[in-house]
mmCIF file of all heavy atoms in Angstrom:
data_model
loop_
_atom_site.group_PDB
_atom_site.id
_atom_site.type_symbol
_atom_site.label_atom_id
_atom_site.label_comp_id
_atom_site.label_asym_id
_atom_site.label_seq_id
_atom_site.Cartn_x
_atom_site.Cartn_y
_atom_site.Cartn_z
ATOM 1 N N GLY A 1 -0.529 -16.046 47.543
ATOM 2 C CA GLY A 1 -0.401 -17.215 48.409
ATOM 3 C C GLY A 1 -1.158 -18.425 47.919
ATOM 4 O O GLY A 1 -1.341 -19.387 48.659
ATOM 5 N N GLU A 2 -1.565 -18.410 46.665
ATOM 6 C CA GLU A 2 -2.321 -19.527 46.088
ATOM 7 C C GLU A 2 -1.405 -20.382 45.210
ATOM 8 O O GLU A 2 -0.796 -19.868 44.270
ATOM 9 C CB GLU A 2 -3.474 -18.965 45.246
ATOM 10 C CG GLU A 2 -4.433 -20.005 44.766
ATOM 11 C CD GLU A 2 -5.605 -19.391 44.003
ATOM 12 O OE1 GLU A 2 -5.875 -18.188 44.139
ATOM 13 O OE2 GLU A 2 -6.228 -20.151 43.236
ATOM 14 N N PRO A 3 -1.290 -21.671 45.519
ATOM 15 C CA PRO A 3 -0.448 -22.535 44.688
ATOM 16 C C PRO A 3 -0.983 -22.635 43.256
ATOM 17 O O PRO A 3 -2.194 -22.569 43.022
ATOM 18 C CB PRO A 3 -0.532 -23.900 45.378
ATOM 19 C CG PRO A 3 -1.059 -23.637 46.740
ATOM 20 C CD PRO A 3 -1.892 -22.394 46.642
ATOM 21 N N LEU A 4 -0.072 -22.792 42.321
ATOM 22 C CA LEU A 4 -0.468 -22.991 40.929
ATOM 23 C C LEU A 4 -1.040 -24.392 40.738
ATOM 24 O O LEU A 4 -0.640 -25.328 41.419
ATOM 25 C CB LEU A 4 0.733 -22.815 40.001
ATOM 26 C CG LEU A 4 1.407 -21.447 39.994
ATOM 27 C CD1 LEU A 4 2.587 -21.456 39.037
ATOM 28 C CD2 LEU A 4 0.424 -20.348 39.640
ATOM 29 N N THR A 5 -1.928 -24.512 39.758
ATOM 30 C CA THR A 5 -2.439 -25.818 39.349
ATOM 31 C C THR A 5 -1.613 -26.292 38.163
ATOM 32 O O THR A 5 -0.876 -25.509 37.550
ATOM 33 C CB THR A 5 -3.919 -25.725 38.929
ATOM 34 O OG1 THR A 5 -3.998 -24.918 37.736
ATOM 35 C CG2 THR A 5 -4.783 -25.111 40.033
ATOM 36 N N ASP A 6 -1.773 -27.549 37.816
ATOM 37 C CA ASP A 6 -1.079 -28.051 36.629
ATOM 38 C C ASP A 6 -1.501 -27.277 35.390
ATOM 39 O O ASP A 6 -0.678 -26.990 34.521
ATOM 40 C CB ASP A 6 -1.331 -29.545 36.449
ATOM 41 C CG ASP A 6 -0.539 -30.383 37.439
ATOM 42 O OD1 ASP A 6 0.329 -29.837 38.150
ATOM 43 O OD2 ASP A 6 -0.779 -31.599 37.482
ATOM 44 N N ASP A 7 -2.776 -26.923 35.294
ATOM 45 C CA ASP A 7 -3.229 -26.144 34.133
ATOM 46 C C ASP A 7 -2.535 -24.788 34.062
ATOM 47 O O ASP A 7 -2.293 -24.273 32.968
ATOM 48 C CB ASP A 7 -4.748 -25.963 34.165
ATOM 49 C CG ASP A 7 -5.488 -27.244 33.811
ATOM 50 O OD1 ASP A 7 -4.897 -28.125 33.145
ATOM 51 O OD2 ASP A 7 -6.666 -27.366 34.196
ATOM 52 N N ASP A 8 -2.203 -24.204 35.215
ATOM 53 C CA ASP A 8 -1.433 -22.954 35.234
ATOM 54 C C ASP A 8 -0.014 -23.194 34.748
ATOM 55 O O ASP A 8 0.590 -22.337 34.102
ATOM 56 C CB ASP A 8 -1.335 -22.389 36.661
ATOM 57 C CG ASP A 8 -2.659 -21.980 37.253
ATOM 58 O OD1 ASP A 8 -3.525 -21.480 36.521
ATOM 59 O OD2 ASP A 8 -2.820 -22.163 38.490
ATOM 60 N N ARG A 9 0.530 -24.349 35.093
ATOM 61 C CA ARG A 9 1.948 -24.624 34.825
ATOM 62 C C ARG A 9 2.242 -25.062 33.388
ATOM 63 O O ARG A 9 3.342 -24.824 32.894
ATOM 64 C CB ARG A 9 2.449 -25.713 35.776
ATOM 65 C CG ARG A 9 2.611 -25.264 37.196
ATOM 66 C CD ARG A 9 3.200 -26.389 38.046
ATOM 67 N NE ARG A 9 3.333 -25.997 39.433
ATOM 68 C CZ ARG A 9 2.464 -26.288 40.380
ATOM 69 N NH1 ARG A 9 1.381 -27.002 40.095
ATOM 70 N NH2 ARG A 9 2.662 -25.889 41.615
ATOM 71 N N TRP A 10 1.344 -25.771 32.722
ATOM 72 C CA TRP A 10 1.680 -26.354 31.415
ATOM 73 C C TRP A 10 2.213 -25.334 30.403
ATOM 74 O O TRP A 10 3.272 -25.574 29.798
ATOM 75 C CB TRP A 10 0.518 -27.137 30.831
ATOM 76 C CG TRP A 10 0.052 -28.310 31.645
ATOM 77 C CD1 TRP A 10 -1.237 -28.631 31.948
ATOM 78 C CD2 TRP A 10 0.848 -29.342 32.260
ATOM 79 N NE1 TRP A 10 -1.294 -29.771 32.726
ATOM 80 C CE2 TRP A 10 -0.034 -30.228 32.932
ATOM 81 C CE3 TRP A 10 2.213 -29.591 32.343
ATOM 82 C CZ2 TRP A 10 0.415 -31.348 33.650
ATOM 83 C CZ3 TRP A 10 2.661 -30.689 33.060
ATOM 84 C CH2 TRP A 10 1.770 -31.558 33.693
ATOM 85 N N PRO A 11 1.531 -24.196 30.186
ATOM 86 C CA PRO A 11 2.084 -23.237 29.210
ATOM 87 C C PRO A 11 3.449 -22.701 29.618
ATOM 88 O O PRO A 11 4.324 -22.480 28.775
ATOM 89 C CB PRO A 11 1.037 -22.116 29.179
ATOM 90 C CG PRO A 11 -0.207 -22.716 29.735
ATOM 91 C CD PRO A 11 0.229 -23.778 30.709
ATOM 92 N N TRP A 12 3.636 -22.511 30.916
ATOM 93 C CA TRP A 12 4.920 -22.027 31.423
ATOM 94 C C TRP A 12 6.019 -23.061 31.181
ATOM 95 O O TRP A 12 7.114 -22.732 30.713
ATOM 96 C CB TRP A 12 4.761 -21.713 32.915
ATOM 97 C CG TRP A 12 6.019 -21.418 33.653
ATOM 98 C CD1 TRP A 12 6.846 -20.347 33.478
ATOM 99 C CD2 TRP A 12 6.578 -22.202 34.707
ATOM 100 N NE1 TRP A 12 7.906 -20.420 34.380
ATOM 101 C CE2 TRP A 12 7.748 -21.546 35.141
ATOM 102 C CE3 TRP A 12 6.208 -23.379 35.347
ATOM 103 C CZ2 TRP A 12 8.556 -22.042 36.167
ATOM 104 C CZ3 TRP A 12 7.007 -23.859 36.366
ATOM 105 C CH2 TRP A 12 8.157 -23.196 36.764
ATOM 106 N N LEU A 13 5.734 -24.330 31.469
ATOM 107 C CA LEU A 13 6.725 -25.387 31.245
ATOM 108 C C LEU A 13 7.029 -25.556 29.760
ATOM 109 O O LEU A 13 8.170 -25.839 29.382
ATOM 110 C CB LEU A 13 6.238 -26.701 31.851
ATOM 111 C CG LEU A 13 6.191 -26.694 33.389
ATOM 112 C CD1 LEU A 13 5.369 -27.871 33.901
ATOM 113 C CD2 LEU A 13 7.589 -26.689 33.978
ATOM 114 N N ASP A 14 6.022 -25.372 28.917
ATOM 115 C CA ASP A 14 6.257 -25.411 27.464
ATOM 116 C C ASP A 14 7.227 -24.307 27.051
ATOM 117 O O ASP A 14 8.112 -24.518 26.218
ATOM 118 C CB ASP A 14 4.945 -25.283 26.692
ATOM 119 C CG ASP A 14 4.075 -26.518 26.804
ATOM 120 O OD1 ASP A 14 4.574 -27.605 27.179
ATOM 121 O OD2 ASP A 14 2.861 -26.403 26.512
ATOM 122 N N GLU A 15 7.068 -23.132 27.646
ATOM 123 C CA GLU A 15 7.981 -22.020 27.336
ATOM 124 C C GLU A 15 9.396 -22.334 27.810
ATOM 125 O O GLU A 15 10.373 -22.039 27.121
ATOM 126 C CB GLU A 15 7.476 -20.716 27.951
ATOM 127 C CG GLU A 15 8.324 -19.506 27.614
ATOM 128 C CD GLU A 15 8.414 -19.203 26.123
ATOM 129 O OE1 GLU A 15 7.537 -19.635 25.339
ATOM 130 O OE2 GLU A 15 9.387 -18.527 25.718
ATOM 131 N N VAL A 16 9.526 -22.950 28.984
ATOM 132 C CA VAL A 16 10.845 -23.369 29.478
ATOM 133 C C VAL A 16 11.480 -24.324 28.471
ATOM 134 O O VAL A 16 12.643 -24.165 28.088
ATOM 135 C CB VAL A 16 10.725 -24.019 30.877
ATOM 136 C CG1 VAL A 16 12.038 -24.695 31.274
ATOM 137 C CG2 VAL A 16 10.310 -22.994 31.912
ATOM 138 N N GLY A 17 10.735 -25.332 28.025
ATOM 139 C CA GLY A 17 11.241 -26.285 27.035
ATOM 140 C C GLY A 17 11.637 -25.607 25.738
ATOM 141 O O GLY A 17 12.681 -25.925 25.147
ATOM 142 N N ARG A 18 10.814 -24.657 25.283
ATOM 143 C CA ARG A 18 11.133 -23.929 24.039
ATOM 144 C C ARG A 18 12.432 -23.142 24.184
ATOM 145 O O ARG A 18 13.255 -23.133 23.267
ATOM 146 C CB ARG A 18 9.997 -22.974 23.674
ATOM 147 C CG ARG A 18 8.903 -23.595 22.849
ATOM 148 C CD ARG A 18 7.955 -22.556 22.262
ATOM 149 N NE ARG A 18 7.142 -21.912 23.276
ATOM 150 C CZ ARG A 18 6.039 -22.437 23.804
ATOM 151 N NH1 ARG A 18 5.618 -23.616 23.422
ATOM 152 N NH2 ARG A 18 5.354 -21.770 24.704
ATOM 153 N N ARG A 19 12.616 -22.495 25.323
ATOM 154 C CA ARG A 19 13.838 -21.703 25.521
ATOM 155 C C ARG A 19 15.076 -22.594 25.492
ATOM 156 O O ARG A 19 16.099 -22.217 24.937
ATOM 157 C CB ARG A 19 13.778 -20.940 26.839
ATOM 158 C CG ARG A 19 12.690 -19.883 26.894
ATOM 159 C CD ARG A 19 12.977 -18.714 25.955
ATOM 160 N NE ARG A 19 11.914 -17.751 26.003
ATOM 161 C CZ ARG A 19 11.997 -16.560 26.578
ATOM 162 N NH1 ARG A 19 13.115 -16.159 27.127
ATOM 163 N NH2 ARG A 19 10.966 -15.742 26.556
ATOM 164 N N LEU A 20 14.980 -23.778 26.088
ATOM 165 C CA LEU A 20 16.109 -24.708 26.051
ATOM 166 C C LEU A 20 16.340 -25.231 24.640
ATOM 167 O O LEU A 20 17.481 -25.361 24.198
ATOM 168 C CB LEU A 20 15.863 -25.880 26.997
ATOM 169 C CG LEU A 20 15.954 -25.567 28.490
ATOM 170 C CD1 LEU A 20 15.392 -26.731 29.306
ATOM 171 C CD2 LEU A 20 17.383 -25.265 28.898
ATOM 172 N N ALA A 21 15.265 -25.531 23.922
ATOM 173 C CA ALA A 21 15.370 -26.104 22.574
ATOM 174 C C ALA A 21 15.842 -25.077 21.549
ATOM 175 O O ALA A 21 16.524 -25.433 20.588
ATOM 176 C CB ALA A 21 14.024 -26.687 22.150
ATOM 177 N N ASN A 22 15.497 -23.831 21.737
ATOM 178 C CA ASN A 22 15.828 -22.771 20.770
ATOM 179 C C ASN A 22 17.125 -22.066 21.127
ATOM 180 O O ASN A 22 17.281 -20.880 20.932
ATOM 181 C CB ASN A 22 14.685 -21.745 20.697
ATOM 182 C CG ASN A 22 13.440 -22.328 20.114
ATOM 183 O OD1 ASN A 22 13.494 -23.268 19.321
ATOM 184 N ND2 ASN A 22 12.296 -21.799 20.504
ATOM 185 N N ASP A 23 18.050 -22.829 21.598
ATOM 186 C CA ASP A 23 19.288 -22.294 22.122
ATOM 187 C C ASP A 23 20.246 -21.778 21.058
ATOM 188 O O ASP A 23 21.084 -20.953 21.337
ATOM 189 C CB ASP A 23 19.972 -23.394 22.953
ATOM 190 C CG ASP A 23 21.249 -22.879 23.532
ATOM 191 O OD1 ASP A 23 21.197 -22.172 24.536
ATOM 192 O OD2 ASP A 23 22.304 -23.172 22.947
ATOM 193 N N ALA A 24 20.167 -22.276 19.860
ATOM 194 C CA ALA A 24 21.057 -21.882 18.759
ATOM 195 C C ALA A 24 22.520 -22.209 19.052
ATOM 196 O O ALA A 24 23.420 -21.483 18.672
ATOM 197 C CB ALA A 24 20.888 -20.405 18.428
ATOM 198 N N GLY A 25 22.772 -23.303 19.763
ATOM 199 C CA GLY A 25 24.125 -23.796 19.953
ATOM 200 C C GLY A 25 24.928 -23.153 21.047
ATOM 201 O O GLY A 25 26.087 -23.478 21.239
ATOM 202 N N ARG A 26 24.344 -22.234 21.789
ATOM 203 C CA ARG A 26 25.110 -21.512 22.803
ATOM 204 C C ARG A 26 25.182 -22.258 24.128
ATOM 205 O O ARG A 26 26.171 -22.156 24.841
ATOM 206 C CB ARG A 26 24.459 -20.153 23.008
ATOM 207 C CG ARG A 26 25.198 -19.275 23.957
ATOM 208 C CD ARG A 26 24.594 -17.904 23.966
ATOM 209 N NE ARG A 26 25.186 -17.144 25.064
ATOM 210 C CZ ARG A 26 24.695 -16.044 25.535
ATOM 211 N NH1 ARG A 26 23.606 -15.551 25.019
ATOM 212 N NH2 ARG A 26 25.275 -15.423 26.517
ATOM 213 N N GLY A 27 24.150 -22.971 24.493
ATOM 214 C CA GLY A 27 24.056 -23.618 25.797
ATOM 215 C C GLY A 27 23.259 -22.747 26.743
ATOM 216 O O GLY A 27 23.449 -21.535 26.782
ATOM 217 N N THR A 28 22.351 -23.371 27.474
ATOM 218 C CA THR A 28 21.482 -22.625 28.381
ATOM 219 C C THR A 28 21.376 -23.347 29.713
ATOM 220 O O THR A 28 21.206 -24.560 29.751
ATOM 221 C CB THR A 28 20.062 -22.465 27.777
ATOM 222 O OG1 THR A 28 20.150 -21.732 26.559
ATOM 223 C CG2 THR A 28 19.125 -21.747 28.728
ATOM 224 N N VAL A 29 21.465 -22.576 30.771
ATOM 225 C CA VAL A 29 21.154 -23.045 32.116
ATOM 226 C C VAL A 29 19.919 -22.270 32.545
ATOM 227 O O VAL A 29 19.908 -21.042 32.493
ATOM 228 C CB VAL A 29 22.313 -22.781 33.102
ATOM 229 C CG1 VAL A 29 21.933 -23.244 34.501
ATOM 230 C CG2 VAL A 29 23.595 -23.463 32.634
ATOM 231 N N ILE A 30 18.879 -22.998 32.928
ATOM 232 C CA ILE A 30 17.635 -22.353 33.333
ATOM 233 C C ILE A 30 17.270 -22.771 34.753
ATOM 234 O O ILE A 30 17.378 -23.942 35.103
ATOM 235 C CB ILE A 30 16.500 -22.659 32.329
ATOM 236 C CG1 ILE A 30 15.286 -21.776 32.584
ATOM 237 C CG2 ILE A 30 16.125 -24.117 32.336
ATOM 238 C CD1 ILE A 30 14.325 -21.726 31.398
ATOM 239 N N ALA A 31 16.920 -21.813 35.574
ATOM 240 C CA ALA A 31 16.450 -22.079 36.935
ATOM 241 C C ALA A 31 14.939 -22.281 36.861
ATOM 242 O O ALA A 31 14.212 -21.377 36.457
ATOM 243 C CB ALA A 31 16.781 -20.906 37.847
ATOM 244 N N CYS A 32 14.492 -23.483 37.218
ATOM 245 C CA CYS A 32 13.071 -23.825 37.111
ATOM 246 C C CYS A 32 12.738 -24.865 38.170
ATOM 247 O O CYS A 32 13.450 -25.860 38.302
ATOM 248 C CB CYS A 32 12.765 -24.381 35.718
ATOM 249 S SG CYS A 32 11.077 -24.951 35.486
ATOM 250 N N SER A 33 11.663 -24.684 38.881
ATOM 251 C CA SER A 33 11.324 -25.608 39.971
ATOM 252 C C SER A 33 11.219 -27.053 39.498
ATOM 253 O O SER A 33 11.758 -27.942 40.147
ATOM 254 C CB SER A 33 10.040 -25.170 40.672
ATOM 255 O OG SER A 33 8.988 -25.004 39.750
ATOM 256 N N ALA A 34 10.530 -27.316 38.385
ATOM 257 C CA ALA A 34 10.430 -28.673 37.805
ATOM 258 C C ALA A 34 10.187 -29.732 38.879
ATOM 259 O O ALA A 34 10.851 -30.766 38.915
ATOM 260 C CB ALA A 34 11.686 -28.986 36.983
ATOM 261 N N LEU A 35 9.227 -29.487 39.742
ATOM 262 C CA LEU A 35 9.037 -30.289 40.949
ATOM 263 C C LEU A 35 8.566 -31.719 40.713
ATOM 264 O O LEU A 35 8.919 -32.607 41.470
ATOM 265 C CB LEU A 35 8.042 -29.591 41.890
ATOM 266 C CG LEU A 35 8.482 -28.229 42.407
ATOM 267 C CD1 LEU A 35 7.360 -27.597 43.238
ATOM 268 C CD2 LEU A 35 9.757 -28.327 43.211
ATOM 269 N N ARG A 36 7.772 -31.936 39.708
ATOM 270 C CA ARG A 36 7.216 -33.271 39.480
ATOM 271 C C ARG A 36 7.800 -33.883 38.209
ATOM 272 O O ARG A 36 8.224 -33.180 37.291
ATOM 273 C CB ARG A 36 5.690 -33.193 39.324
ATOM 274 C CG ARG A 36 4.984 -32.794 40.607
ATOM 275 C CD ARG A 36 3.476 -32.772 40.475
ATOM 276 N NE ARG A 36 2.982 -34.040 39.980
ATOM 277 C CZ ARG A 36 2.062 -34.154 39.017
ATOM 278 N NH1 ARG A 36 1.540 -33.093 38.442
ATOM 279 N NH2 ARG A 36 1.671 -35.344 38.625
ATOM 280 N N ARG A 37 7.799 -35.204 38.164
ATOM 281 C CA ARG A 37 8.272 -35.924 36.975
ATOM 282 C C ARG A 37 7.504 -35.459 35.744
ATOM 283 O O ARG A 37 8.088 -35.240 34.677
ATOM 284 C CB ARG A 37 8.102 -37.441 37.203
ATOM 285 C CG ARG A 37 8.309 -38.302 35.964
ATOM 286 C CD ARG A 37 9.778 -38.335 35.564
ATOM 287 N NE ARG A 37 10.001 -39.033 34.330
ATOM 288 C CZ ARG A 37 10.678 -40.166 34.225
ATOM 289 N NH1 ARG A 37 11.184 -40.738 35.287
ATOM 290 N NH2 ARG A 37 10.881 -40.715 33.053
ATOM 291 N N ALA A 38 6.198 -35.287 35.876
ATOM 292 C CA ALA A 38 5.388 -34.851 34.735
ATOM 293 C C ALA A 38 5.850 -33.494 34.209
ATOM 294 O O ALA A 38 5.818 -33.248 33.000
ATOM 295 C CB ALA A 38 3.906 -34.797 35.119
ATOM 296 N N TYR A 39 6.299 -32.615 35.088
ATOM 297 C CA TYR A 39 6.780 -31.298 34.657
ATOM 298 C C TYR A 39 8.109 -31.440 33.913
ATOM 299 O O TYR A 39 8.338 -30.779 32.893
ATOM 300 C CB TYR A 39 6.969 -30.360 35.847
ATOM 301 C CG TYR A 39 5.748 -30.177 36.720
ATOM 302 C CD1 TYR A 39 5.871 -29.686 38.005
ATOM 303 C CD2 TYR A 39 4.464 -30.508 36.278
ATOM 304 C CE1 TYR A 39 4.770 -29.512 38.824
ATOM 305 C CE2 TYR A 39 3.358 -30.333 37.097
ATOM 306 C CZ TYR A 39 3.518 -29.843 38.368
ATOM 307 O OH TYR A 39 2.431 -29.671 39.179
ATOM 308 N N ARG A 40 8.969 -32.295 34.421
ATOM 309 C CA ARG A 40 10.255 -32.517 33.739
ATOM 310 C C ARG A 40 10.030 -33.196 32.391
ATOM 311 O O ARG A 40 10.691 -32.874 31.402
ATOM 312 C CB ARG A 40 11.189 -33.312 34.646
ATOM 313 C CG ARG A 40 11.530 -32.542 35.935
ATOM 314 C CD ARG A 40 12.556 -33.219 36.791
ATOM 315 N NE ARG A 40 12.155 -34.497 37.355
ATOM 316 C CZ ARG A 40 11.519 -34.655 38.514
ATOM 317 N NH1 ARG A 40 11.155 -33.605 39.244
ATOM 318 N NH2 ARG A 40 11.241 -35.870 38.965
ATOM 319 N N ASP A 41 9.091 -34.133 32.345
ATOM 320 C CA ASP A 41 8.751 -34.769 31.069
ATOM 321 C C ASP A 41 8.231 -33.737 30.076
ATOM 322 O O ASP A 41 8.547 -33.795 28.888
ATOM 323 C CB ASP A 41 7.704 -35.866 31.267
ATOM 324 C CG ASP A 41 8.247 -37.107 31.954
ATOM 325 O OD1 ASP A 41 9.496 -37.260 32.048
ATOM 326 O OD2 ASP A 41 7.425 -37.928 32.410
ATOM 327 N N ARG A 42 7.452 -32.792 30.563
ATOM 328 C CA ARG A 42 6.911 -31.739 29.688
ATOM 329 C C ARG A 42 8.054 -30.904 29.105
ATOM 330 O O ARG A 42 8.046 -30.566 27.926
ATOM 331 C CB ARG A 42 5.948 -30.865 30.505
ATOM 332 C CG ARG A 42 5.200 -29.840 29.714
ATOM 333 C CD ARG A 42 4.007 -30.451 29.019
ATOM 334 N NE ARG A 42 3.187 -29.442 28.377
ATOM 335 C CZ ARG A 42 1.877 -29.490 28.342
ATOM 336 N NH1 ARG A 42 1.218 -30.480 28.897
ATOM 337 N NH2 ARG A 42 1.204 -28.551 27.719
ATOM 338 N N ILE A 43 9.042 -30.573 29.917
ATOM 339 C CA ILE A 43 10.208 -29.827 29.434
ATOM 340 C C ILE A 43 10.971 -30.669 28.413
ATOM 341 O O ILE A 43 11.350 -30.179 27.346
ATOM 342 C CB ILE A 43 11.120 -29.423 30.613
ATOM 343 C CG1 ILE A 43 10.419 -28.383 31.495
ATOM 344 C CG2 ILE A 43 12.473 -28.913 30.117
ATOM 345 C CD1 ILE A 43 11.102 -28.130 32.835
ATOM 346 N N ARG A 44 11.179 -31.950 28.722
ATOM 347 C CA ARG A 44 11.944 -32.832 27.818
ATOM 348 C C ARG A 44 11.212 -33.097 26.509
ATOM 349 O O ARG A 44 11.849 -33.452 25.518
ATOM 350 C CB ARG A 44 12.249 -34.160 28.514
ATOM 351 C CG ARG A 44 13.413 -34.098 29.475
ATOM 352 C CD ARG A 44 13.795 -35.481 29.976
ATOM 353 N NE ARG A 44 12.762 -36.044 30.817
ATOM 354 C CZ ARG A 44 12.785 -36.043 32.152
ATOM 355 N NH1 ARG A 44 13.820 -35.541 32.796
ATOM 356 N NH2 ARG A 44 11.803 -36.569 32.841
#
């Protein structure tokens, strides 16, 4: 029941970005909260 901090989220968001980037041409849809602009920027 404890919310994550940004420090908890950064490595996870980096992994989300890596999975999208390492797609190898197939196309990926990922379910991710991406609640804040900073989190979406991290993925991008």
Side-chain angles (χ1 to χ4, degrees):
E2 188 177 341
L4 298 179
T5 66
D6 285 351
D7 286 337
D8 296 324
R9 288 184 182 97
W10 299 134
W12 170 66
L13 292 165
D14 289 342
E15 183 61 22
V16 169
R18 273 192 291 279
R19 295 291 178 107
L20 288 168
N22 293 333
D23 181 79
R26 184 173 170 196
T28 299
V29 178
I30 191 162
C32 176
S33 54
L35 298 176
R36 292 182 54 225
R37 169 71 185 246
Y39 305 161
R40 297 186 295 272
D41 288 346
R42 186 81 173 218
I43 292 168
R44 280 188 292 261

